[in-house]
Amino acid sequence: MTWQGKEWGDLWKGRVFTLSNFISAFRVFLLPFFFVTISNYAENPSQIVFLGYSILLTALAVFSDFLDGFIARLLNQESTFGRYLDPVCDKLVTVGGLGLVTYFFDFPLWILAIYIIRELVGVWFGMFLYLKRGLQGRPNWWGKLGVGLVSFSVLWYMLVPYFRFREIDSEFLYHPEYSAYLLLIVLALGVMGYASVYWKIVFDPATVPHDLEEKKKKPKYKKL
Protein backbone atom coordinates (compact mmCIF):
# COMPACT_ATOMS: atom_id res chain seq x y z
CA MET A 1 0.00 0.00 0.00
CA THR A 2 1.34 3.43 -0.97
CA TRP A 3 0.88 6.82 0.64
CA GLN A 4 -1.79 8.96 -1.01
CA GLY A 5 -1.18 12.71 -1.01
CA LYS A 6 -3.86 15.37 -0.57
CA GLU A 7 -4.80 18.51 -2.45
CA TRP A 8 -5.10 22.03 -1.02
CA GLY A 9 -8.85 21.87 -1.57
CA ASP A 10 -9.10 18.92 0.81
CA LEU A 11 -8.33 21.29 3.69
CA TRP A 12 -11.68 22.99 3.16
CA LYS A 13 -13.75 19.84 3.15
CA GLY A 14 -16.13 19.62 6.06
CA ARG A 15 -17.31 22.46 8.27
CA VAL A 16 -15.11 25.56 8.33
CA PHE A 17 -17.20 28.23 10.04
CA THR A 18 -17.64 26.60 13.42
CA LEU A 19 -17.60 27.87 16.98
CA SER A 20 -14.36 26.03 17.73
CA ASN A 21 -12.60 27.60 14.73
CA PHE A 22 -13.91 31.02 15.72
CA ILE A 23 -12.41 30.57 19.19
CA SER A 24 -9.07 29.59 17.62
CA ALA A 25 -9.03 32.74 15.47
CA PHE A 26 -10.24 34.86 18.39
CA ARG A 27 -6.92 34.66 20.24
CA VAL A 28 -5.07 36.03 17.21
CA PHE A 29 -7.29 39.12 17.28
CA LEU A 30 -6.23 39.66 20.89
CA LEU A 31 -2.70 40.59 19.76
CA PRO A 32 -3.42 44.27 18.84
CA PHE A 33 -5.04 44.82 22.25
CA PHE A 34 -2.09 43.10 23.91
CA PHE A 35 0.26 45.46 22.07
CA VAL A 36 -1.65 48.52 23.33
CA THR A 37 -1.76 47.40 26.96
CA ILE A 38 1.83 46.15 27.12
CA SER A 39 3.25 49.27 25.43
CA ASN A 40 1.44 51.56 27.88
CA TYR A 41 2.65 49.50 30.81
CA ALA A 42 6.25 49.39 29.51
CA GLU A 43 6.24 53.17 29.13
CA ASN A 44 5.11 53.66 32.73
CA PRO A 45 5.21 50.57 35.01
CA SER A 46 3.31 52.51 37.68
CA GLN A 47 0.19 52.11 35.52
CA ILE A 48 -0.62 48.76 37.04
CA VAL A 49 -4.00 48.67 35.34
CA PHE A 50 -2.30 48.05 31.97
CA LEU A 51 -0.30 45.19 33.49
CA GLY A 52 -3.59 43.71 34.68
CA TYR A 53 -5.08 44.02 31.21
CA SER A 54 -2.01 42.36 29.69
CA ILE A 55 -2.22 39.46 32.14
CA LEU A 56 -5.94 39.10 31.43
CA LEU A 57 -5.35 38.98 27.67
CA THR A 58 -2.62 36.37 28.14
CA ALA A 59 -4.96 34.28 30.29
CA LEU A 60 -7.71 34.56 27.65
CA ALA A 61 -5.34 33.35 24.94
CA VAL A 62 -4.27 30.35 27.03
CA PHE A 63 -7.85 29.51 27.98
CA SER A 64 -9.06 29.75 24.36
CA ASP A 65 -6.34 27.26 23.37
CA PHE A 66 -7.95 24.74 25.71
CA LEU A 67 -11.52 25.76 24.92
CA ASP A 68 -11.43 25.42 21.12
CA GLY A 69 -10.41 21.76 21.25
CA PHE A 70 -12.93 21.01 23.99
CA ILE A 71 -15.76 22.67 22.02
CA ALA A 72 -14.74 20.87 18.81
CA ARG A 73 -15.00 17.48 20.54
CA LEU A 74 -18.13 18.38 22.49
CA LEU A 75 -20.06 19.66 19.45
CA ASN A 76 -18.50 17.19 17.01
CA GLN A 77 -16.90 20.03 15.02
CA GLU A 78 -13.50 18.42 14.45
CA SER A 79 -12.23 18.88 10.89
CA THR A 80 -9.01 18.85 8.89
CA PHE A 81 -9.12 22.63 8.59
CA GLY A 82 -9.69 23.06 12.32
CA ARG A 83 -6.77 20.76 13.19
CA TYR A 84 -4.48 23.04 11.18
CA LEU A 85 -6.09 26.33 12.21
CA ASP A 86 -5.54 25.68 15.92
CA PRO A 87 -1.72 25.21 15.80
CA VAL A 88 -1.32 28.02 13.25
CA CYS A 89 -3.13 30.39 15.60
CA ASP A 90 -0.93 29.11 18.45
CA LYS A 91 2.17 29.94 16.43
CA LEU A 92 0.97 33.45 15.54
CA VAL A 93 0.06 34.24 19.15
CA THR A 94 3.23 32.81 20.71
CA VAL A 95 5.52 34.49 18.17
CA GLY A 96 3.60 37.74 18.60
CA GLY A 97 3.78 37.57 22.39
CA LEU A 98 7.49 36.73 22.42
CA GLY A 99 8.13 39.45 19.85
CA LEU A 100 6.51 42.06 22.08
CA VAL A 101 8.42 41.07 25.22
CA THR A 102 11.60 41.03 23.12
CA TYR A 103 10.93 44.59 22.02
CA PHE A 104 9.74 45.98 25.36
CA PHE A 105 11.36 43.77 28.00
CA ASP A 106 14.56 42.37 26.47
CA PHE A 107 13.60 38.75 25.89
CA PRO A 108 16.67 37.20 24.15
CA LEU A 109 16.40 38.00 20.46
CA TRP A 110 18.43 34.94 19.47
CA ILE A 111 15.99 32.62 21.27
CA LEU A 112 13.09 34.35 19.51
CA ALA A 113 14.86 33.78 16.17
CA ILE A 114 15.31 30.07 16.97
CA TYR A 115 11.66 29.83 17.97
CA ILE A 116 10.48 31.44 14.72
CA ILE A 117 12.71 29.18 12.60
CA ARG A 118 11.45 26.14 14.48
CA GLU A 119 7.82 27.14 13.86
CA LEU A 120 8.41 27.83 10.14
CA VAL A 121 10.13 24.48 9.68
CA GLY A 122 7.27 22.79 11.53
CA VAL A 123 4.69 24.37 9.22
CA TRP A 124 6.70 23.34 6.14
CA PHE A 125 6.98 19.73 7.28
CA GLY A 126 3.33 19.67 8.27
CA MET A 127 2.31 20.76 4.79
CA PHE A 128 4.71 18.22 3.26
CA LEU A 129 3.18 15.37 5.25
CA TYR A 130 -0.33 16.39 4.27
CA LEU A 131 0.22 17.14 0.57
CA LYS A 132 2.75 14.39 -0.18
CA ARG A 133 1.83 11.67 2.31
CA GLY A 134 -1.81 12.47 3.06
CA LEU A 135 -1.03 12.45 6.78
CA GLN A 136 -2.05 15.16 9.20
CA GLY A 137 0.50 15.73 11.93
CA ARG A 138 -0.44 15.80 15.58
CA PRO A 139 1.14 17.97 18.28
CA ASN A 140 3.23 16.14 20.84
CA TRP A 141 3.43 16.89 24.54
CA TRP A 142 6.69 18.80 24.10
CA GLY A 143 4.94 21.22 21.76
CA LYS A 144 2.08 21.77 24.20
CA LEU A 145 4.55 22.27 27.03
CA GLY A 146 6.41 24.78 24.85
CA VAL A 147 3.25 26.86 24.36
CA GLY A 148 2.69 26.86 28.11
CA LEU A 149 6.27 27.94 28.76
CA VAL A 150 5.93 30.78 26.25
CA SER A 151 2.97 32.12 28.24
CA PHE A 152 4.90 31.71 31.49
CA SER A 153 7.98 33.45 30.10
CA VAL A 154 5.92 36.33 28.66
CA LEU A 155 4.29 36.88 32.06
CA TRP A 156 7.60 36.75 33.92
CA TYR A 157 9.26 39.29 31.62
CA MET A 158 6.23 41.56 31.93
CA LEU A 159 6.35 41.44 35.71
CA VAL A 160 10.01 42.48 36.09
CA PRO A 161 9.28 46.25 35.75
CA TYR A 162 6.57 45.84 38.36
CA PHE A 163 9.03 44.11 40.70
CA ARG A 164 11.44 47.02 40.24
CA PHE A 165 8.68 49.58 40.77
CA ARG A 166 7.69 47.87 44.02
CA GLU A 167 11.36 47.40 44.94
CA ILE A 168 10.80 43.73 45.70
CA ASP A 169 13.88 42.23 47.31
CA SER A 170 14.34 38.92 45.49
CA GLU A 171 17.26 38.35 43.15
CA PHE A 172 15.62 35.35 41.50
CA LEU A 173 12.55 37.31 40.33
CA TYR A 174 14.78 39.65 38.32
CA HIS A 175 16.10 36.83 36.11
CA PRO A 176 13.28 35.86 33.71
CA GLU A 177 15.93 34.58 31.31
CA TYR A 178 15.74 31.30 33.25
CA SER A 179 12.33 30.73 31.68
CA ALA A 180 13.76 31.56 28.24
CA TYR A 181 16.52 28.97 28.62
CA LEU A 182 14.03 26.39 29.86
CA LEU A 183 11.87 27.13 26.82
CA LEU A 184 14.89 26.58 24.60
CA ILE A 185 15.50 23.14 26.16
CA VAL A 186 11.86 22.13 25.68
CA LEU A 187 11.96 23.32 22.06
CA ALA A 188 15.04 21.18 21.41
CA LEU A 189 13.38 18.10 22.93
CA GLY A 190 10.24 18.76 20.89
CA VAL A 191 12.25 19.05 17.68
CA MET A 192 13.92 15.71 18.39
CA GLY A 193 10.53 14.11 19.00
CA TYR A 194 9.07 15.44 15.76
CA ALA A 195 12.24 14.61 13.81
CA SER A 196 12.08 10.93 14.77
CA VAL A 197 8.50 10.73 13.46
CA TYR A 198 9.20 12.69 10.28
CA TRP A 199 12.27 10.56 9.53
CA LYS A 200 10.22 7.37 9.60
CA ILE A 201 7.45 8.83 7.46
CA VAL A 202 9.77 10.30 4.82
CA PHE A 203 12.54 7.69 4.67
CA ASP A 204 10.95 4.54 6.12
CA PRO A 205 7.19 4.87 5.51
CA ALA A 206 6.61 1.12 5.59
CA THR A 207 7.02 1.17 9.38
CA VAL A 208 4.30 3.81 9.92
CA PRO A 209 0.57 2.91 9.93
CA HIS A 210 -1.35 4.52 7.07
CA ASP A 211 -4.54 5.02 9.05
CA LEU A 212 -3.59 6.45 12.40
CA GLU A 213 -7.18 7.34 13.27
CA GLU A 214 -8.32 3.77 12.65
CA LYS A 215 -5.49 2.54 14.83
CA LYS A 216 -6.74 4.70 17.69
CA LYS A 217 -10.23 3.22 17.39
CA LYS A 218 -9.07 -0.36 17.81
CA PRO A 219 -9.88 -1.89 21.18
CA LYS A 220 -6.99 -2.06 23.61
CA TYR A 221 -7.95 -5.54 24.78
CA LYS A 222 -8.98 -8.52 22.72
CA LYS A 223 -11.91 -10.61 23.79
CA LEU A 224 -10.96 -14.05 25.04
Side-chain angles (χ1 to χ4, degrees):
M1 184 176 182
T2 58
W3 292 89
Q4 183 66 42
K6 300 287 187 179
E7 301 292 336
W8 282 108
D10 293 330
L11 281 172
W12 303 94
K13 290 182 178 179
R15 301 175 64 186
V16 173
F17 299 102
T18 63
L19 178 59
S20 59
N21 289 345
F22 172 79
I23 294 173
S24 296
F26 165 76
R27 59 180 171 272
V28 178
F29 290 104
L30 293 176
L31 280 174
F33 300 99
F34 186 65
F35 170 79
V36 172
T37 59
I38 203 172
S39 60
N40 279 277
Y41 164 67
E43 183 178 346
N44 187 358
S46 64
Q47 299 183 14
I48 305 302
V49 64
F50 288 109
L51 172 62
Y53 290 149
S54 300
I55 293 175
L56 177 60
L57 291 171
T58 303
L60 281 175
V62 173
F63 179 69
S64 69
D65 189 24
F66 159 79
L67 186 62
D68 57 4
F70 174 78
I71 292 296
R73 292 186 293 271
L74 181 66
L75 302 181
N76 194 26
Q77 295 179 347
E78 292 182 288
S79 64
T80 300
F81 177 76
R83 294 190 189 101
Y84 276 116
L85 179 65
D86 180 38
V88 166
C89 290
D90 284 345
K91 296 177 191 305
L92 291 174
V93 171
T94 53
V95 169
L98 288 178
L100 288 175
V101 295
T102 299
Y103 182 78
F104 290 110
F105 304 118
D106 298 323
F107 182 89
L109 179 61
W110 64 275
I111 294 182
L112 173 63
I114 291 175
Y115 189 85
I116 293 175
I117 292 172
R118 182 257 191 190
E119 297 299 84
L120 290 175
V121 171
V123 169
W124 187 88
F125 270 110
M127 287 292 96
F128 171 83
L129 292 181
Y130 184 73
L131 297 174
K132 300 299 183 181
R133 297 291 188 265
L135 181 63
Q136 188 168 23
R138 301 283 182 173
N140 60 19
W141 284 106
W142 291 113
K144 290 294 184 182
L145 181 58
V147 172
L149 277 175
V150 167
S151 303
F152 176 72
S153 191
V154 166
L155 287 172
W156 194 347
Y157 272 89
M158 283 195 306
L159 286 169
V160 169
Y162 173 78
F163 297 150
R164 292 197 181 102
F165 174 71
R166 292 296 184 182
E167 297 182 348
I168 296 177
D169 186 17
S170 175
E171 186 66 23
F172 176 77
L173 293 178
Y174 294 100
H175 291 282
E177 62 270 17
Y178 296 150
S179 64
Y181 299 145
L182 181 59
L183 173 62
L184 189 63
I185 293 172
V186 170
L187 290 178
L189 293 173
V191 167
M192 288 189 289
Y194 282 119
S196 64
V197 175
Y198 289 146
W199 182 271
K200 290 181 181 179
I201 294 174
V202 175
F203 297 104
D204 195 13
T207 63
V208 181
H210 286 75
D211 194 345
L212 300 182
E213 293 298 321
E214 191 64 29
K215 182 181 178 181
K216 290 182 179 180
K217 297 176 183 178
K218 291 182 179 180
K220 294 183 178 180
Y221 305 100
K222 294 181 180 180
K223 294 182 179 180
L224 299 177

